[in-house]
Amino acid sequence: MKISGYGEFQQMRKASQKDDAHLKETAERAEAESESSDAVSISPEARRKGKLRMASDYRESRVADVKARLEAGTLVTDESLKSGTRKMLGALFSGDL
């Protein structure tokens, strides 16, 4: 069984780390260029929290959608079963499982 979502989180985390390094470098360069100008900076921790909050909102909406589909009886359909079976058999025969 494959659980999706963790890979996306890891990708966001890596991107955030790259953003943090770039922001720090840019802020240092701007500070060196002009000591007298006003500036606003967002800490790397605040940036990460913002991205995590967006991911959390997505997850909550996804869970709500699945619950609603379960209650309505539309989560598992004949078409979704056929499609899932095809994918599983394809992966089994290709050696991906």
Side-chain angles (χ1 to χ4, degrees):
M1 172 193 256
K2 181 177 180 181
I3 299 175
S4 63
Y6 184 72
E8 294 170 8
F9 173 76
Q10 288 293 76
Q11 289 175 346
M12 283 192 325
R13 186 170 164 221
K14 287 179 184 177
S16 176
Q17 289 171 344
K18 287 180 183 177
D19 289 345
D20 295 345
H22 178 71
L23 286 174
K24 183 178 179 183
E25 182 181 306
T26 304
E28 289 172 352
R29 194 174 330 139
E31 186 176 333
E33 289 175 3
S34 174
E35 290 290 325
S36 64
S37 68
D38 292 334
V40 174
S41 64
I42 300 172
S43 72
E45 183 179 347
R47 188 171 287 281
R48 271 193 296 279
K49 285 182 179 180
K51 288 182 180 180
L52 288 174
R53 187 174 300 120
M54 287 187 302
S56 176
D57 292 344
Y58 170 77
R59 179 138 176 101
E60 288 173 11
S61 66
R62 180 74 175 135
V63 169
D65 177 53
V66 169
K67 282 183 179 180
R69 290 172 63 195
L70 270 172
E71 291 171 1
T74 60
L75 182 65
V76 178
T77 63
D78 288 339
E79 186 59 37
S80 67
L81 287 174
K82 288 176 188 176
S83 174
T85 302
R86 281 189 212 108
K87 288 178 184 177
M88 194 168 48
L89 288 174
L92 180 64
F93 288 120
S94 69
D96 290 340
L97 285 181

